[in-house]
Amino acid sequence: MIMYMYKKILVTNRKICKIDLISQLNHLAQLWDKENAMKPERIILREKDLSKTQYEMLAKEVLQFCEKNQLILTAHTHLDITKKIACKHLHLSFPAFREYVPQIAKMKAEQTLCEVGVSVHSIEEAIYVMRHGGDYLTAGHIFATDCKKGLPPRGLSFLEKICREVPIPVYAIGGIQLRECEKMEACRQVGVAGVCIMSDYMKL
């Protein structure tokens, strides 16, 4: 099974790039031009340490990059910035999603938001998100990863239970590299829609 068959989400972390984030994305675009199958379907701009002003400025730049390269930009955390820059795609932690459920429903009704993804770490969270209007899930961490050093991974059985319990798309996250075909195939076999990758995209 070739790894390129899988849907991929690029999750940003500018702190592990050797160059600035926009330069890294432009570098990746050159790689995708040569090997299109490496191209993700979306970018989740996860830079949670930035102030709102800093995040908005970066999000505008990344949105331009995504429009140029036919990618979906998914903003992270900032519901108000998502609306302000006309992004329409948002990713939230589970606690933030639970807090914003009424606002999300209102923005969807107004068509200023079309999709919300949520990071979950339990079956109960996954079911809650599905029942309250979430459109997709990222579930993890599935494999051991330096991002969660010292924390045991939840594993494939956890991932399989979530895929079985909820009808919305589920993306595996945690410890998955671009060319790890065995891990991707193992995730595919339990029913995921795709995988999220951070480190490889940020360090290529």
Side-chain angles (χ1 to χ4, degrees):
M1 182 65 63
I2 300 173
M3 69 95 181
Y4 296 135
M5 294 175 64
Y6 301 94
K7 288 185 177 181
K8 291 172 283 294
I9 295 176
L10 186 163
V11 182
T12 73
N13 182 353
R14 74 192 192 288
K15 291 183 176 181
I16 63 174
C17 297
K18 294 179 180 178
I19 53 180
D20 68 89
L21 181 60
I22 300 301
S23 296
Q24 178 66 16
L25 293 178
N26 285 323
H27 165 67
L28 289 172
Q30 292 178 346
L31 298 180
W32 301 333
D33 284 344
K34 297 175 183 177
E35 198 172 355
N36 187 61
M38 291 179 67
K39 186 176 181 179
E41 65 171 0
R42 75 173 66 228
I43 294 175
I44 296 179
L45 186 62
R46 191 182 176 271
E47 310 298 328
K48 296 195 290 184
D49 64 303
L50 294 178
S51 69
K52 282 193 173 185
T53 300
Q54 291 170 324
Y55 188 91
E56 181 180 342
M57 290 174 62
L58 182 59
K60 287 177 179 177
E61 288 189 82
V62 179
L63 181 58
Q64 289 181 346
F65 172 86
C66 287
E67 289 172 345
K68 179 181 177 182
N69 289 275
Q70 297 180 311
L71 299 173
I72 297 168
L73 171 63
T74 300
H76 197 289
T77 304
H78 301 293
L79 192 99
D80 51 345
I81 292 175
T82 304
K83 186 174 182 178
K84 190 173 180 180
I85 67 171
C87 179
K88 293 195 174 184
H89 299 266
L90 178 67
H91 193 92
L92 296 169
S93 67
F94 176 75
F97 175 78
R98 190 166 50 188
E99 178 184 349
Y100 290 145
V101 164
Q103 294 98 310
I104 289 168
K106 183 174 184 292
M107 288 177 67
K108 283 188 171 184
E110 296 170 344
Q111 298 185 338
T112 55
L113 187 66
C114 68
E115 181 188 51
V116 177
V118 184
S119 300
V120 299
H121 303 94
S122 71
I123 304 296
E124 293 75 18
E125 289 180 356
I127 292 171
Y128 181 95
V129 171
M130 179 267 296
R131 289 177 176 171
H132 290 83
D135 299 291
Y136 72 89
L137 305 171
T138 61
H141 65 292
I142 303 305
F143 303 104
T145 171
D146 287 342
C147 295
K148 303 285 185 180
K149 195 166 283 187
L151 291 175
R154 289 180 170 84
L156 289 167
S157 61
F158 163 77
L159 186 62
E160 183 176 19
K161 287 175 184 176
I162 287 185
C163 291
R164 189 170 61 236
E165 290 292 333
V166 299
I168 60 178
V170 177
Y171 291 82
I173 189 168
I176 303 166
Q177 307 299 321
L178 269 170
R179 290 179 171 82
E180 288 186 321
C181 304
E182 290 183 6
K183 285 184 179 179
M184 289 193 182
E185 174 60 10
C187 290
R188 187 195 68 81
Q189 288 186 4
V190 302
V192 299
V195 298
C196 299
I197 297 170
M198 178 190 289
S199 296
D200 264 14
Y201 278 130
M202 295 293 93
K203 295 178 178 180
L204 274 175

